[in-house]
Amino acid sequence: MLKRVSLDITGLPPTLEMREKFIGDNAHDAYEQIVDELLGSAHYGEKMASHWLDVARYADSHGFQNDQLRTMWPWRDWVIYAFNENYSYKKFVTYQLAGDLMPKKNIETILATGFNRNHKINQEAGIIEEEYRIENVTDRTNTFGKAFLGLTLECAKCHDHKYDPISQKEYFNTFAFFDKVIHRSKAMGEVLAEAPLITITDEVVEKELPFVNKKEPEDIEVMVIEEKADIRTTHILNRGVYDDKGEIVRPSTPESVLKFDTLVYDSNRLGLTKWLFDVKNPLTSRVFVNRVWQEIFGEGIVRSSGDFGRQGDLPTHIGLLNWLSADFIENDWDMKRLVKQIVMSSTYKQSSVVDDKKLAIDPDNRYLSHMTRLRFSSETIRDHALATSGLLNEEIGGRSVKVYQPDGIWEAASSGRGILANYVQDHGKDLYKRGLYIFVKRTTLPPVQLTFDATTRDQCEVKRQSTMTPLQALIALNDPTILEAARVLSETLIQEESTIDEKIAEAFKRIMSRTIKPQEKKMLVGYYHDQEDAFANDKQKAKDFIEVGEYPILKGRDEVKVAALMQIIHTIYNLEETIIKG
């Protein structure tokens, strides 16, 4: 239970100290105290941000063939900060959609609008500039629909929506909110950040953005939103074609959701956020609480979390969705409170053991008859290994890092131009930062993350696939990060004055967050002795096995014992129980 809630709230396993406190105190009181402690951890913001980066289609490169570097990571630092400060969902979204239009705007609210600039940008020569400007506005419009309304607005760009009551005109009414944005001139060429942008200096960080983890002496340019009300007129685009302009339209929204009353809302993005958070809007709260539920239970109350339209799934528990939604609004859109509310529930605390009766009646767990068993995300699997081995760099925020990766991947998929033509791995403690911070190049995604179902970041995604494949098992057995974690934990335990039985029991407790069972210990101790004999007969094999990773080796180590114990720890890291929430 402790492992479950710790990984759900922070994405990291509980410490041994938390475990001793949890099992030693009154169960209910200790559990609530642990939940509060986890919600107060800076790692909570990282866990929440991990999903939001999928929604916001965050990446460290522009995309398309040239796929050059961009510097949007200070916006990611803001997202982590906003979650940790427990900004209300209303404030969190308003800053991102319209922080530049707020009456009391400042550099923080403007930085937050980087959400609108996370889309792909084409910097190739010969493009038709207006065509790709329209593509950028289209992306913002589609993202708005999917991220905040759970609607497939994009289906109405070329014609009236085939299933939902959204006309093509209403699509371009919504499009108009994002069409007044200043667009850079193509003459700027390949740059880290295309205007409009803000420049973050050391002085700005010190005085106004202390949450930005800036270490580089160079100033950082971050793309943001700026608009002019009279910059252009918005038209319906016939068949969605960029240069086939039809009827002129004004900013508005689909009436089937909620009429956009221009006497109540301004006809700009700030007015759009007020419409979004109007208590009469039937979707905003429901869509968000459903996604938080999905992040915790694996499936939303509405399983099609990106489609609340007629083609989407009906809620499995409509009363629960309505109540959670209303309660969320009535409590000022408090996100930490919502997470606590769910993890304190009896539904969340259920066992994942399924008996034959439940399996027969509820094979897909639509009735929430038990806790769903879920494979952890690629980020969580990595972070768990780093944390339990003692390797984890717990630094919050900062630039993205390039970790271990097979040679030649970037080079094979690159145009051969620009700073990202070749993969240059980071070293030192940067290798051990959380998966949230791994560098995402759109045309050549991190292979481990991609295999474990991370999103491509080409567009807004509100739900990841969760597969179990042989290739994932192959990676878990051979990934340098997992092997290095096993090696470092082995070296740590070898130094302790304890028996091999005790060392294995300690490794098991650190990784599994529970005490090893007698039959498990017997099996692993026997396996250890088999491996010790094998490595003693081939010391070069032992040496080769433990020569993994860049973390400094233990001086004077007994290579045979380290290799044998490393093999046991590596086995534990590869057990189903390690990578599955159960």
Side-chain angles (χ1 to χ4, degrees):
M1 192 69 233
L2 177 62
K3 178 185 175 187
R4 177 191 295 177
V5 74
S6 181
L7 285 162
D8 277 342
I9 294 179
T10 67
L12 295 174
T15 63
L16 294 178
E17 292 74 21
M18 290 170 66
R19 181 179 180 276
E20 295 309 313
K21 175 179 172 55
F22 183 66
I23 63 176
D25 293 348
N26 176 277
H28 178 78
D29 292 343
Y31 180 72
E32 185 168 8
Q33 289 172 14
I34 288 291
V35 168
D36 290 338
E37 181 182 332
L38 292 168
L39 289 170
S41 165
H43 298 307
Y44 160 80
E46 292 179 310
K47 178 62 168 67
M48 294 291 284
S50 184
H51 170 67
W52 195 254
L53 297 190
D54 286 350
V55 174
R57 71 270 193 241
Y58 171 88
D60 298 294
S61 70
H62 290 310
F64 295 100
Q65 183 181 355
N66 285 351
D67 203 14
Q68 296 302 330
L69 178 68
R70 64 169 50 169
T71 47
M72 290 299 291
W73 61 261
W75 172 83
R76 179 179 58 198
D77 282 8
W78 175 82
V79 171
I80 297 168
Y81 170 79
F83 278 121
N84 281 331
E85 290 295 302
N86 200 27
Y87 282 16
S88 71
Y89 184 59
K90 181 178 181 179
K91 179 178 178 179
F92 180 65
V93 171
T94 300
Y95 277 25
Q96 292 180 84
L97 286 179
D100 58 313
L101 300 176
M102 298 177 70
K104 295 183 179 180
K105 69 179 180 181
N106 54 44
I107 195 166
E108 182 195 343
T109 68
I110 294 170
L111 171 62
T113 67
F115 174 87
N116 296 288
R117 300 295 303 282
N118 277 325
H119 52 69
K120 296 164 68 176
I121 291 177
N122 196 333
Q123 296 183 325
E124 295 169 19
I127 66 170
I128 301 172
E129 190 169 335
E130 178 64 5
E131 179 180 11
Y132 279 94
R133 187 192 72 80
I134 291 295
E135 285 301 308
N136 293 163
V137 181
T138 297
D139 176 276
R140 293 174 199 140
T141 307
N142 298 349
T143 297
F144 172 78
K146 192 170 190 177
F148 305 113
L149 298 174
L151 292 178
T152 55
L153 282 184
E154 65 270 20
C155 297
K157 181 184 178 185
C158 305
H159 48 69
D160 292 350
H161 202 295
K162 296 296 185 185
Y163 302 103
D164 296 337
I166 303 169
S167 68
Q168 186 187 23
K169 182 176 181 179
E170 287 177 318
Y171 177 88
F172 282 99
N173 287 141
T174 310
F175 184 98
F177 286 108
F178 302 97
D179 197 31
K180 310 300 183 188
V181 172
I182 295 171
H183 185 69
R184 56 92 183 175
S185 167
K186 182 60 189 174
M188 291 179 63
E190 294 180 359
V191 292
L192 299 178
E194 294 184 346
L197 55 82
I198 58 172
T199 302
I200 299 179
T201 64
D202 290 340
E203 184 179 8
V204 167
V205 170
E206 183 179 353
K207 293 183 178 180
E208 300 177 86
L209 302 174
F211 52 82
V212 173
N213 185 359
K214 180 181 182 295
K215 294 181 177 179
E216 301 80 1
E218 300 83 14
D219 295 343
I220 304 167
E221 293 182 334
V222 183
M223 295 184 289
V224 295
I225 283 290
E226 182 183 350
E227 73 171 47
K228 289 184 179 178
D230 58 352
I231 194 171
R232 63 181 62 89
T233 302
T234 302
H235 297 257
I236 293 176
L237 299 179
N238 297 320
R239 297 169 296 139
V241 179
Y242 76 95
D243 60 352
D244 191 356
K245 295 181 179 180
E247 177 187 348
I248 293 175
V249 292
R250 295 186 56 79
S252 188
T253 53
E255 287 202 16
S256 58
V257 177
L258 176 67
K259 181 179 174 62
F260 192 87
D261 188 343
T262 53
L263 297 177
V264 177
Y265 320 113
D266 293 332
S267 295
N268 58 21
R269 282 177 285 110
L270 188 58
L272 181 63
T273 64
K274 291 178 180 176
W275 172 87
L276 195 63
F277 287 94
D278 190 309
V279 293
K280 299 187 189 73
N281 191 311
L283 290 175
T284 309
S285 179
R286 285 182 175 89
V287 166
F288 183 72
V289 300
N290 186 68
R291 282 216 310 272
V292 173
W293 187 276
Q294 171 188 277
E295 284 301 292
I296 293 173
F297 288 97
E299 294 285 359
I301 300 169
V302 174
R303 295 200 164 197
S304 56
S305 53
D307 188 359
F308 273 55
R310 288 175 176 167
Q311 291 296 100
D313 294 318
L314 291 173
T316 55
H317 300 72
I318 192 167
L320 174 61
L321 181 64
N322 289 342
W323 183 84
L324 280 172
S325 173
D327 186 69
F328 187 47
I329 295 171
E330 290 166 5
N331 285 279
D332 301 320
W333 307 85
D334 187 328
M335 293 189 280
K336 282 191 177 181
R337 182 183 178 277
L338 174 64
V339 172
K340 180 176 179 179
Q341 196 172 37
I342 293 174
V343 301
M344 290 296 296
S345 68
S346 57
T347 304
Y348 179 78
K349 295 176 184 176
Q350 292 182 110
S351 169
S352 60
V353 176
V354 190
D355 58 35
D356 291 340
K357 181 180 178 182
K358 288 179 180 178
L359 197 59
I361 297 173
D362 190 20
D364 295 327
N365 201 23
R366 290 181 178 269
Y367 300 128
L368 303 173
S369 61
H370 56 277
M371 187 61 180
T372 307
R373 298 176 72 251
L374 303 166
R375 178 182 54 74
F376 291 121
S377 69
S378 59
E379 294 93 336
T380 300
I381 291 171
R382 169 192 169 82
D383 298 346
H384 176 268
L386 293 177
T388 52
S389 66
L391 277 173
L392 181 66
N393 174 2
E394 297 193 27
E395 180 183 2
I396 305 295
R399 68 172 181 85
S400 296
V401 294
K402 300 183 186 74
V403 297
Y404 304 127
Q405 180 171 295
D407 294 336
I409 292 180
W410 277 22
E411 290 76 4
S414 170
S415 65
R417 297 186 297 272
I419 194 171
L420 298 185
N422 300 298
Y423 189 80
V424 181
Q425 181 196 298
D426 283 302
H427 303 284
K429 64 180 184 178
D430 285 341
L431 281 174
Y432 311 111
K433 291 193 73 171
R434 295 190 64 173
L436 175 74
Y437 304 111
I438 290 178
F439 192 100
V440 176
K441 184 182 180 185
R442 280 191 164 105
T443 54
T444 321
L445 294 165
V448 173
Q449 280 65 30
L450 184 62
T451 305
F452 280 92
D453 301 319
T455 57
T456 64
R457 304 284 171 84
D458 281 342
Q459 60 185 8
C460 168
E461 295 290 352
V462 297
K463 183 179 182 180
R464 290 188 184 184
Q465 288 186 323
S466 183
T467 61
M468 292 287 278
T469 70
L471 189 56
Q472 292 168 359
L474 187 66
I475 284 178
L477 285 167
N478 293 280
D479 180 15
T481 299
I482 304 295
L483 285 163
E484 184 177 23
R487 189 259 294 177
V488 171
L489 181 52
S490 174
E491 290 177 337
T492 300
L493 295 174
I494 285 295
Q495 296 179 81
E496 296 182 359
E497 292 185 4
S498 56
T499 65
I500 194 59
D501 294 43
E502 291 168 336
K503 295 181 196 299
I504 290 174
E506 176 68 12
F508 195 94
K509 184 165 66 174
R510 289 193 188 197
I511 297 169
M512 296 296 199
S513 301
R514 67 170 176 84
T515 303
I516 192 170
K517 296 175 182 176
Q519 62 270 35
E520 293 169 331
K521 183 191 287 187
K522 181 180 179 181
M523 183 182 296
L524 289 176
V525 170
Y527 184 35
Y528 170 86
H529 290 303
D530 290 343
Q531 291 299 301
E532 186 178 32
D533 291 341
F535 285 126
N537 291 326
D538 190 346
K539 293 186 178 180
Q540 185 59 45
K541 183 178 180 181
K543 181 177 175 61
D544 292 342
F545 183 55
I546 62 179
E547 291 293 326
V548 60
E550 296 188 4
Y551 192 80
I553 65 170
L554 173 66
K555 292 182 179 179
R557 61 186 177 179
D558 184 324
E559 293 178 342
V560 169
K561 291 186 182 300
V562 169
L565 185 56
M566 176 181 164
Q567 189 76 285
I568 305 308
I569 295 169
H570 189 229
T571 299
I572 299 172
Y573 276 133
N574 277 270
L575 292 177
E576 182 185 42
E577 184 181 338
T578 307
I579 64 169
I580 297 290
K581 179 167 74 173

